[in-house]
Amino acid sequence: MALAYAWGLILAIYLMGHGLVALPRRLIQNSNTAERLRRLQARAPKVNDKLSEAMDELDGLESQVMQLRQKRMALSRDFQDWIEDLVETSALPESRLSAASDSSRSNVPAVVTERYLADLTRKLKRARHKKARFENEWAYLISDASDAQAILNSSASKRLEFERPGVSNRSKRGFTILTPYLRYLLHRHVIPSLRLALGGFLALASIAIVWSEVTTPIWHKLSLITLTVSPSDNINFGGQVIAAAWICYMCISALHTVSTAKVWGNRALVVRHTYPESASWYSYQVAKLTVPLSYNFITLLPPSVYKSTTFYTFLGRLINLTPLGSGFSQWFPIFILLPVLAATFNLYGRIPKVLGWSSLEEEDDDSNDNATNAAGYGTGGWREGRALIDRELTTAHDRSGALGLASRDASPATRTLSDTTAPQPLGTTGRVPASARAREQYRDRQPLVATMPEDNVDRAAPRAAERRGAVGEEEDGGAEQEDGGFFQDFAHRVRNTIETTDRPSWMNGIGEGLQFKRPKWMGGDDAGRGGSSAAGGGGASTSGGGGGLGRWFGGNGRADGRVRL
């Protein structure tokens, strides 16, 4: 019992110390609507990329299910029923079955075993819950960003109306308690003030808890919790209410860290879509943290008070069975200063950078992540997140859907039929994530075409079209050209390079007044008699008897240009 309590106390002290700082700071930061919107925009690219990755993973697993369905007739009866169950639970459309059957690369092994099907079933369940988790997170992010933007925009008109995509105007005109002006006062002035006041109050409560944890082993009368709960040895009803408030805040701080810390893997609580393993794990954490926190709280009271409680009777004696257990329970809570200082000065982000582990650092929602990129330019900045949110809201209004997100029961193939201007985080495998497309809009360099002269642009346009046509023809006949060999491919590449090379502007005037013609003996016409000399004529006229290459072979300079051998 003492060892189990020691492990639970270590975890509880760390989680509570971090939560005592993170929870008040989050409330104080959210009191500023503009800064809250900026943090949501900075977090949008990362959430969108995670949603795209989750959908890609789910699409890959569903494609394996469709490939298994194509070859199910070669399997046993039990495996056929198993595969049919996977297809039914996946709700795959018939249009995707043909696409999976035509796929050249198969991820299904040659021999399908029971272990493979069990592993595929487990991966499918986790992928669906992972997709639902990031869909829910993306939906809440879009909703919060839309509300924050509406609050900021209402400063001029003094009227606040939250736009909810998918809600008809008739339902909006229904019975409402608050008028637009009262709603503006509430969300623009009252709620931020309450958040700021509550954050300051919780900050004072956190200081009181930390002070009590540090001073209780030295002298319990210095503990602020002792002064508020039981100034004397007797605890009245008011003291019991205050004690319940203290222990409630300690548990909320610890559980807040459990839900926001980045060290628990992929476990998360999702509305109506929580994975059973995650739900069991969170229930286990609640049960594991409640007992150490409760016993740690009663030790903050005078010994004459907590030793007379029933809780100490059945648990305290087992913990204090040896001097080692009693000393650990009394002095270890002082180490709460470590997580408090780490969360206050953001040591979680600075220590990995000093040690060279910055690539392993995860983004903390409560920390000031915009300090390193206040301008918001580049990939992953708040400007990119603003573009993603605006595009999602615009698409939501166009489709009249709920926050621009497709139904969770809809198939990925159906979601890919949405408008091309949408970020489309829910497309099929091989699509470009919305954040990657948004990054193209925020490049620092200007397009190269804008710096070219006008005449070069005019000449480059048809040539670019010709190159695109040539590339299209090569792609159409790519299957036929694969068997041409190395030398044929090399010859095609050299020819394409020469044909598609742009002529420099300084060579445009060369050769405009010159006429190069083939001589008679090479099959030329009679138009060269009165023109300039041929290239091989050595500067003499072709009609003369002593000029041309024919003289070298014994010719007499005949007019027909024949050569005598």
Side-chain angles (χ1 to χ4, degrees):
M1 179 63 70
L3 292 178
Y5 170 77
W7 165 243
L9 183 63
I10 293 173
L11 188 62
I13 289 298
Y14 166 74
L15 296 177
M16 183 179 67
H18 185 275
L20 290 176
V21 178
L23 191 58
R25 182 173 59 189
R26 184 173 184 178
L27 289 173
I28 295 174
Q29 289 178 348
N30 289 341
S31 62
N32 191 335
T33 307
E35 293 297 329
R36 179 163 59 95
L37 177 61
R38 183 65 55 84
R39 286 190 297 272
L40 291 173
Q41 292 172 350
R43 197 163 58 94
K46 185 176 181 180
V47 176
N48 186 265
D49 288 342
K50 288 184 177 180
L51 178 57
S52 299
E53 293 174 0
M55 288 305 304
D56 287 338
E57 181 181 355
L58 181 59
D59 289 344
L61 295 174
E62 288 180 345
S63 65
Q64 293 186 30
V65 174
M66 290 185 288
Q67 292 171 6
L68 280 174
R69 186 177 182 180
Q70 297 300 321
K71 57 182 302 185
R72 69 184 185 279
M73 301 306 298
L75 303 177
S76 63
R77 184 62 182 176
D78 296 337
F79 287 175
Q80 292 181 15
D81 297 338
W82 196 339
I83 294 173
E84 289 296 332
D85 292 340
L86 292 179
V87 173
E88 291 177 359
T89 55
S90 299
L92 300 174
E94 295 295 335
S95 59
R96 297 188 61 190
L97 295 177
S98 59
S101 60
D102 296 339
S103 178
S104 58
R105 185 179 66 178
S106 177
N107 297 324
V108 179
V111 179
V112 178
T113 60
E114 183 178 0
R115 181 177 180 179
Y116 169 75
L117 290 178
D119 185 65
L120 180 61
T121 304
R122 182 172 60 254
K123 288 181 179 179
L124 272 173
K125 291 181 179 179
R126 291 182 177 178
R128 293 193 193 102
H129 287 284
K130 184 178 180 181
K131 184 261 299 182
R133 169 192 174 184
F134 289 114
E135 274 187 349
N136 184 75
E137 186 175 356
W138 178 252
Y140 275 109
L141 188 145
I142 295 296
S143 177
D144 294 342
S146 177
D147 294 345
Q149 188 64 52
I151 293 173
L152 294 178
N153 295 338
S154 64
S155 299
S157 61
K158 308 298 182 182
R159 296 173 60 86
L160 178 59
E161 290 286 350
F162 292 117
E163 296 182 0
R164 304 294 183 184
V167 181
S168 61
N169 294 330
R170 180 177 299 178
S171 61
K172 290 181 180 180
R173 291 193 299 265
F175 177 75
T176 56
I177 300 177
L178 299 177
T179 61
Y181 179 70
L182 291 179
R183 190 179 296 110
Y184 162 77
L185 294 178
L186 176 64
H187 291 275
R188 186 61 174 147
H189 300 287
V190 178
I191 293 181
S193 301
L194 290 178
R195 286 176 175 170
L196 187 61
L198 181 60
F201 177 76
L202 293 182
L204 295 177
S206 300
I207 295 175
I209 293 176
V210 174
W211 174 263
S212 300
E213 295 284 2
V214 173
T215 57
T216 297
I218 302 174
W219 191 26
H220 66 85
K221 290 186 177 181
L222 295 176
S223 173
L224 296 179
I225 294 180
T226 301
L227 297 178
T228 56
V229 174
S230 59
S232 59
D233 293 340
N234 296 327
I235 301 178
N236 52 17
F237 179 75
Q240 295 178 5
V241 173
I242 296 175
W246 281 116
I247 193 172
C248 181
Y249 179 57
M250 294 170 64
C251 292
I252 289 176
S253 300
L255 297 178
H256 176 266
T257 307
V258 171
S259 60
T260 57
K262 306 296 182 180
V263 296
W264 311 116
N266 294 325
R267 297 181 178 89
L269 297 176
V270 184
V271 180
R272 295 190 299 274
H273 287 84
T274 301
Y275 192 54
E277 179 183 353
S278 298
S280 302
W281 184 84
Y282 274 97
S283 302
Y284 165 71
Q285 296 300 325
V286 171
K288 183 173 65 175
L289 295 175
T290 301
V291 174
L293 286 175
S294 300
Y295 185 77
N296 178 65
F297 171 75
I298 65 172
T299 56
L300 299 178
L301 302 176
S304 59
V305 174
Y306 73 82
K307 287 185 178 181
S308 61
T309 59
T310 306
F311 191 65
Y312 177 82
T313 302
F314 77 90
L315 182 63
R317 294 180 178 179
L318 298 177
I319 295 175
N320 297 330
L321 185 62
T322 61
L324 180 62
S326 59
F328 182 85
S329 175
Q330 183 179 4
W331 292 97
F332 180 79
I334 297 178
F335 287 94
I336 195 175
L337 293 174
L338 296 180
V340 168
L341 295 177
T344 303
F345 300 102
N346 194 22
L347 298 182
Y348 300 107
R350 296 180 180 179
I351 292 179
K353 292 180 180 179
V354 174
L355 299 178
W357 299 341
S358 58
S359 59
L360 303 178
E361 179 186 356
E362 291 288 340
E363 179 184 359
D364 191 0
D365 298 337
D366 298 329
S367 61
N368 190 7
D369 299 321
N370 297 327
T372 57
N373 189 14
Y377 293 103
T379 59
W382 64 267
R383 295 180 184 272
E384 179 187 347
R386 182 180 61 183
L388 289 173
I389 294 173
D390 292 343
R391 188 179 302 174
E392 185 75 16
L393 292 175
T394 302
T395 308
H397 286 291
D398 294 340
R399 294 200 305 258
S400 296
L403 296 174
L405 296 175
S407 176
R408 292 177 178 174
D409 298 332
S411 63
T414 306
R415 289 191 287 268
T416 56
L417 300 178
S418 59
D419 190 19
T420 56
T421 60
Q424 296 181 0
L426 308 179
T428 56
T429 306
R431 67 190 179 280
V432 179
S435 59
R437 292 194 298 271
R439 289 164 189 162
E440 299 295 331
Q441 301 178 0
Y442 298 102
R443 292 189 175 182
D444 297 335
R445 59 178 182 268
Q446 298 296 329
L448 297 178
V449 180
T451 61
M452 296 171 60
E454 295 181 358
D455 54 344
N456 292 342
V457 174
D458 296 338
R459 286 193 301 270
R463 290 174 183 170
E466 294 176 1
R467 288 196 295 269
R468 288 193 297 268
V471 172
E473 294 177 359
E474 290 180 1
E475 290 178 355
D476 296 337
E480 301 177 358
Q481 295 179 2
E482 290 180 356
D483 301 332
F486 170 75
F487 294 101
Q488 185 175 355
D489 293 342
F490 180 75
H492 281 300
R493 292 179 181 178
V494 172
R495 186 191 64 183
N496 293 335
T497 303
I498 296 175
E499 290 179 354
T500 58
T501 301
D502 296 334
R503 187 177 184 181
S505 58
W506 58 272
M507 296 180 60
N508 293 334
I510 298 179
E512 293 181 357
L514 302 178
Q515 297 180 1
F516 297 97
K517 301 180 180 179
R518 279 187 290 179
K520 274 287 187 175
W521 63 273
M522 295 182 64
D525 51 3
D526 296 337
R529 293 178 180 268
S532 59
S533 61
S541 176
T542 56
S543 59
L549 290 178
R551 183 179 179 182
W552 296 359
F553 297 94
N556 55 359
R558 294 178 182 179
D560 53 2
R562 289 180 293 177
V563 179
R564 186 182 67 180
L565 300 177

